[in-house]
Amino acid sequence: AVSEDIPSRSSSYCCSETPCCLIIRSMAFPEPSRDLVLQLLTNVFEHMQTHPDDKNLVFELAASGEEGSAPHLEEIIRRRVEEKPESQLAPYNSQQGAWFLKRSIDKFKAIDAEVLEAAQRFASLQPGIAGLLSKLDPAA
């Protein structure tokens, strides 16, 4: 028997924010491919070079993020999915999805020199942030 105190996954009152719900939800996201990660890093970097308002917004959102959230990545994903609903980023279009994608990108940065190099380019967009790169990286 399931305890009345513990909401089930199908429960309408499950908050989706408790550790158990976050774990269950994270298991539902597809692992991003290396190609998707590189494409995302490259496209966001190129966009930020020519759109200073967007660059500033991404850095502001990144600075406001906490463990378990990636508001800068949420914004990037939301915009892309609005523009192209069938985007490969669509499965990550939520707070939990953006966090899952961030953690996946972090894993790629740890094992793939090309992904790490692509992520490190963001430091050139705002001098003095090299120490905060892992937090401010738009795909991290």
Side-chain angles (χ1 to χ4, degrees):
V2 175
S3 167
E4 294 292 323
D5 297 332
I6 302 172
S8 69
R9 184 173 184 202
S10 62
S11 170
S12 62
Y13 62 90
C14 182
C15 69
S16 298
E17 298 302 322
T18 61
C20 67
C21 290
L22 289 173
I23 290 169
I24 289 169
R25 294 203 57 184
S26 73
M27 293 187 302
F29 300 112
E31 288 292 330
S33 69
R34 176 184 180 277
D35 290 343
L36 174 61
V37 169
L38 278 173
Q39 179 182 8
L40 176 64
L41 291 170
T42 300
N43 291 349
V44 170
F45 178 77
E46 290 173 0
H47 179 86
M48 288 175 67
Q49 286 184 302
T50 58
H51 296 83
D53 290 342
D54 289 344
K55 175 189 78 171
N56 293 335
L57 177 62
V58 166
F59 283 123
E60 287 173 26
L61 290 171
S64 72
E66 300 176 358
E67 184 69 20
S69 72
H72 55 303
L73 196 50
E74 277 183 71
E75 178 68 14
I76 291 165
I77 295 167
R78 181 189 61 75
R79 287 185 185 193
R80 179 60 178 156
V81 172
E82 282 179 2
E83 180 182 287
K84 183 180 177 189
E86 69 278 7
S87 168
Q88 292 181 65
L89 296 176
Y92 312 105
N93 193 15
S94 67
Q95 179 181 351
Q96 296 85 4
W99 178 249
F100 178 85
L101 186 58
K102 178 202 181 309
R103 300 302 300 146
S104 298
I105 292 167
D106 288 344
K107 291 176 190 174
F108 275 112
K109 286 170 30 180
I111 63 169
D112 189 296
E114 192 175 359
V115 171
L116 179 61
E117 182 181 328
Q120 289 175 333
R121 292 185 304 163
F122 289 94
S124 70
L125 294 176
Q126 186 169 330
I129 66 158
L132 300 174
L133 182 60
S134 65
K135 181 170 178 133
L136 297 179
D137 179 88

